[in-house]
Amino acid sequence: MDVEPPASGPPTSGPPASGAVPRTDGAGDIRDQLRQLTLSQQRFERHLGRELRVDPAGLAVMDHLVTVGPTTPTDLARRLEASTAATTLVIDRLVAAGHVSRQPHPTDRRKVIVTPADHWEATAYQYVSPLVEGVTAAAEALPPGEQATVAGFLRKIVGVYDEATRV
């Protein structure tokens, strides 16, 4: 849920109306751009889910498997902060769609390991690569000092989110 503090001027919860002048104060403009980035990321994730025929929970599982590697359903549930029953349902849908498989655990015969299908990473990457390449190009276009400033700012923002979600 997006919650913004009351603004002292006109609302800034989206792109400016046609002909309207965008907000120009630095902190407000940065906040507005971060909000637009969040909305764009959410829109892209919905697009990716439609293209790959995977629901948001399935995308979260697939992202974890591609990033971290094959893992147990219990570890996936813990990582996604979901119940094991709910995670099992997500895994069942991914297996039925051919996106993952369950393999015997290499050292504990009571467990299984969830593994992404061989084609998954390459299939997903064809949709994600334009973003990766575009972000890389935008970052590389900045002078080194600006790159360091932007990277430092983004680390602080990640810290703000991490702090806000600590229980």
Side-chain angles (χ1 to χ4, degrees), residues 11-71:
T12 60
S13 61
S18 178
V21 177
R23 191 174 196 180
T24 57
D25 69 304
D29 188 38
I30 290 170
R31 188 179 67 243
D32 290 348
Q33 292 305 311
L34 285 172
R35 186 172 193 292
Q36 288 305 309
L37 176 62
T38 298
L39 294 172
S40 294
Q41 288 171 320
Q42 291 168 348
R43 190 171 44 254
F44 176 76
E45 286 178 9
R46 289 189 302 271
H47 168 75
L48 183 62
R50 283 189 305 273
E51 291 295 321
L52 299 175
R53 293 176 171 70
V54 178
D55 64 14
L59 279 178
V61 166
M62 296 309 300
D63 179 57
H64 182 73
L65 292 174
V66 168
T67 303
V68 176
T71 191

Side-chain angles (χ1 to χ4, degrees), residues 11-164:
T12 60
S13 61
S18 178
V21 177
R23 191 174 196 180
T24 57
D25 69 304
D29 188 38
I30 290 170
R31 188 179 67 243
D32 290 348
Q33 292 305 311
L34 285 172
R35 186 172 193 292
Q36 288 305 309
L37 176 62
T38 298
L39 294 172
S40 294
Q41 288 171 320
Q42 291 168 348
R43 190 171 44 254
F44 176 76
E45 286 178 9
R46 289 189 302 271
H47 168 75
L48 183 62
R50 283 189 305 273
E51 291 295 321
L52 299 175
R53 293 176 171 70
V54 178
D55 64 14
L59 279 178
V61 166
M62 296 309 300
D63 179 57
H64 182 73
L65 292 174
V66 168
T67 303
V68 176
T71 191
T72 66
T74 302
D75 288 340
L76 280 170
R78 202 173 301 124
R79 165 76 166 115
L80 301 173
E81 299 176 355
S83 69
T84 54
T87 303
T88 297
L89 291 174
V90 173
I91 294 168
D92 289 345
R93 287 193 302 268
L94 292 170
V95 168
H99 296 310
V100 300
S101 64
R102 290 182 173 100
Q103 305 294 324
H105 191 283
T107 60
D108 187 340
R109 63 187 175 137
R110 298 168 296 171
K111 295 180 180 180
V112 297
I113 297 290
V114 181
T115 305
D118 291 336
H119 67 83
W120 174 262
E121 194 168 355
T123 301
Y125 192 72
Q126 76 183 20
Y127 296 102
V128 176
S129 65
L131 286 178
V132 172
E133 292 165 6
V135 169
T136 299
E140 288 175 346
L142 295 172
E146 289 183 24
Q147 289 176 7
T149 299
V150 171
F153 171 75
L154 291 173
R155 273 191 296 278
K156 288 178 183 177
I157 297 302
V158 169
V160 168
Y161 273 92
D162 289 348
E163 187 62 33

